[in-house]
Coordinates of all heavy atoms in Angstrom, one line a residue:
S51 N -34.4 -31.1 -8.6 CA -35.3 -31.1 -9.8 C -36.3 -29.9 -9.5 O -36.7 -29.2 -10.5 CB -36.0 -32.4 -9.9 OG -35.1 -33.4 -10.2
I143 N -14.9 -34.1 14.6 CA -15.8 -33.4 13.7 C -16.7 -34.5 13.0 O -17.6 -34.1 12.2 CB -15.1 -32.6 12.6 CG1 -14.1 -33.5 11.8 CG2 -14.3 -31.5 13.3 CD1 -13.4 -32.8 10.7
C146 N -17.0 -36.8 7.1 CA -17.0 -35.5 6.2 C -17.3 -35.9 4.8 O -17.1 -35.1 3.9 CB -15.7 -34.9 6.2 SG -15.1 -34.4 7.9
R185 N 3.7 -15.7 5.0 CA 3.1 -17.0 5.4 C 3.1 -17.1 6.9 O 4.0 -16.7 7.6 CB 3.9 -18.2 4.8 CG 3.9 -18.3 3.3 CD 4.9 -19.4 2.8 NE 4.8 -19.5 1.4 CZ 5.6 -20.3 0.7 NH1 6.6 -20.9 1.4 NH2 5.5 -20.4 -0.6
G202 N -2.9 -7.7 0.3 CA -4.1 -8.2 -0.4 C -4.6 -9.4 0.3 O -4.3 -9.7 1.4
E252 N -18.5 -19.7 -6.6 CA -19.5 -19.7 -7.7 C -18.8 -20.2 -9.0 O -19.5 -20.7 -9.9 CB -19.9 -18.3 -7.9 CG -20.9 -17.7 -6.9 CD -21.3 -16.4 -7.0 OE1 -20.7 -15.6 -7.9 OE2 -22.2 -15.9 -6.3
W331 N 10.6 25.5 19.2 CA 10.6 24.5 20.3 C 9.6 23.4 19.8 O 8.5 23.6 19.7 CB 10.3 25.0 21.6 CG 11.4 25.8 22.2 CD1 11.6 27.1 21.9 CD2 12.3 25.4 23.1 NE1 12.7 27.5 22.7 CE2 13.1 26.5 23.4 CE3 12.6 24.2 23.7 CZ2 14.3 26.4 24.3 CZ3 13.7 24.1 24.6 CH2 14.5 25.2 24.9
S338 N 19.6 20.9 17.9 CA 20.5 21.6 17.0 C 21.1 20.6 16.0 O 21.8 21.0 15.0 CB 21.7 22.1 17.8 OG 22.3 21.1 18.6
K385 N 24.3 35.3 32.8 CA 24.3 36.5 33.6 C 25.5 36.4 34.6 O 26.2 37.4 34.9 CB 23.0 36.7 34.4 CG 21.9 37.0 33.4 CD 20.6 37.3 34.3 CE 19.4 37.6 33.3 NZ 18.2 37.8 34.1
L391 N 34.8 36.0 30.0 CA 34.7 34.5 30.0 C 33.6 34.0 29.1 O 33.2 32.8 29.2 CB 34.5 34.0 31.4 CG 35.6 34.3 32.4 CD1 35.3 33.7 33.8 CD2 36.9 33.7 31.9

Side-chain angles (χ1 to χ4, degrees):
S51 301
I143 61 177
C146 301
R185 294 172 176 170
E252 291 175 348
W331 287 82
S338 58
K385 290 181 180 180
L391 297 178

